[in-house]
Amino acid sequence: MAPMPGTPGAPDARPGADSPEARALTAAVTRLRRALRASIRTEYPWEQLPMAQVELLQVCVEHSPVRVSELAARQRLAQSTVSGLVATMATNGLVTREVDSEDRRAAAVSATDAGRLRLAAWTRAHERRLEHALTALPDADRTALREALPALTRLAARLEEAEGRGG
């Protein structure tokens, strides 16, 4: 059952809250994410790394070592969920999980060389797929996308800031 309007998680019923631009961008981003997820299976049919693990691995590569609690906060997941994902990733040799040197009660997670290589291969597969699609577009579309990148980067930062403030 959907939340009642005015409650947390409910859609905003204010006029203009459902702008055509927001709707179109949501649709485009959703299609793009779906196409990219599918493309990894095209490039690497054997690849079975779930997106949750890919996203955790990206944070581990960028911020190693990182505490499980910080991973959970960054990904907005329950700490128990992240602990389970980290355990699976450690079993698969993608990360190591050790006692945090600053707080012996906490676990520090680092990407392994194998994890870094797997993430690099995953990233290259997506980049190749995007490059192939981009080269098939008309010059005007490629130019428009290139010119939109700074604004999209600022939009992502704005969303991350709002997420950090809890809204």
Side-chain angles (χ1 to χ4, degrees):
M1 190 158 119
M4 299 278 298
T7 61
D12 192 340
R14 292 176 301 156
D18 218 9
S19 74
E21 293 87 2
R23 224 178 359 262
L25 187 56
T26 297
V29 168
T30 299
R31 277 186 77 185
L32 186 57
R33 284 181 55 103
R34 187 179 316 118
L36 285 171
R37 275 195 311 270
S39 75
I40 199 70
R41 305 300 187 259
T42 301
E43 289 281 330
Y44 293 104
W46 47 265
E47 179 59 75
Q48 295 299 315
L49 198 60
M51 275 306 296
Q53 289 184 24
V54 169
E55 290 172 355
L56 287 179
L57 196 51
Q58 287 169 330
V59 174
C60 288
V61 165
E62 190 175 332
H63 299 284
S64 282
V66 60
R67 290 182 180 177
V68 170
S69 59
E70 186 180 341
L71 278 171
R74 284 178 178 273
Q75 300 307 113
R76 299 183 69 93
L77 294 171
Q79 194 163 335
S80 60
T81 300
V82 171
S83 289
L85 288 167
V86 167
T88 300
M89 294 168 70
T91 298
N92 293 331
L94 302 174
V95 298
T96 58
R97 182 179 183 159
E98 299 173 359
V99 174
D100 190 316
S101 60
E102 295 177 17
D103 181 354
R104 307 222 27 99
R105 298 168 297 169
V109 181
S110 297
T112 63
D113 288 343
R116 290 174 189 280
L117 289 171
R118 183 99 174 253
L119 182 61
W122 184 92
T123 300
R124 279 192 309 276
H126 282 289
E127 289 170 354
R128 277 195 303 272
R129 184 75 172 186
L130 276 168
E131 183 63 31
H132 179 74
L134 285 167
T135 59
L137 291 176
D139 287 342
D141 285 350
R142 287 197 313 275
T143 299
L145 286 167
R146 186 174 37 258
E147 290 174 354
L149 287 174
L152 288 170
T153 300
R154 288 189 300 274
L155 177 61
R158 178 78 175 177
L159 290 169
E160 290 166 350
E161 289 170 13
E163 184 177 298
R165 291 190 309 266

